Amino acid sequence: GTQLLTPAQVIAAADVQLGTPLLRVDTGSVANRVEAIPQVASATVTKDWPDHLLISVTERVPVMAVRMAGGGYDLVDQAGVIVRWAQVRPAALPLLETSLPGTALRGSAEVAVAADVLAELDPWLARQVTAVQAAPVAAGTEQVTLDLRDGKTVQWGSPGDAAQKNRELAILL
């Protein structure tokens, strides 16, 4: 399950000495050590008797790019975890327009709401989004705005009612 990581990085994080009897391997602890790698969303460790340890990882997938003050972009997943850094924003990832520093992205309501809306979009619309903003309103919810490739701006609102919003937006556009 490695694309961003190498198997050697996973093996190093697992920290199981070659030759350790499987009976002595705590698979939960190994999974926790592998999940400490920022690019890993989850890890499953199983014993394959008589002498193998299988480690399956699910890597985090970037869904947005955040411009960094020092240059470049942090590519973040739906939870705001920085998956990796890139000098140039990948064309397929919308820019999250935010004032949050990179250290505040993880667990942020702003990031979560923007990611939820992006996940709700029909594929034809998702491909057109160049930027996304999520701003709090008086009611305490985040309202999402989408900037499209053709220069149009869509006031999506809050997450939810995605099927209806996608249908109506298809008609309007």
Side-chain angles (χ1 to χ4, degrees), residues 16 35 65 71-72 143 159:
V16 177
E35 288 173 347
Q143 298 298 304

Side-chain angles (χ1 to χ4, degrees), residues 7-157:
Q9 289 172 300
V10 174
I11 291 167
D15 194 27
V16 177
Q17 297 300 316
L18 189 63
T20 302
L22 284 184
L23 285 173
R24 292 191 184 161
V25 175
D26 179 350
T27 57
S29 294
V30 173
N32 288 337
R33 289 192 296 267
V34 172
E35 288 173 347
I37 301 171
Q39 292 85 1
V40 175
S42 65
T44 304
V45 179
T46 55
K47 296 176 181 180
D48 184 17
W49 298 97
D51 57 2
H52 287 83
L53 194 63
L54 299 175
I55 303 172
S56 299
V57 297
T58 300
E59 292 181 325
R60 296 183 182 279
V61 176
V63 295
M64 295 174 283
V66 179
R67 186 173 319 187
M68 301 313 302
Y73 297 85
D74 279 339
L75 308 183
V76 300
D77 74 351
Q78 73 278 0
V81 175
I82 299 170
V83 177
R84 65 184 177 93
W85 178 85
Q87 179 68 40
V88 178
R89 180 175 64 89
L93 292 183
L95 176 68
L96 174 64
E97 294 179 351
T98 181
S99 60
L100 293 174
T103 56
L105 294 171
R106 183 187 289 242
S108 156
E110 180 180 342
V111 172
V113 168
D116 286 348
V117 167
L118 290 171
E120 293 176 341
L121 299 177
D122 282 345
W124 67 269
L125 179 57
R127 287 188 296 270
Q128 294 183 50
V129 177
T130 59
V132 59
Q133 306 89 39
V137 293
T141 60
E142 304 278 338
Q143 298 298 304
V144 176
T145 303
L146 308 170
D147 295 335
L148 305 182
R149 293 194 191 286
D150 62 4
K152 292 183 176 116
T153 300
V154 174
Q155 298 294 326
W156 186 266

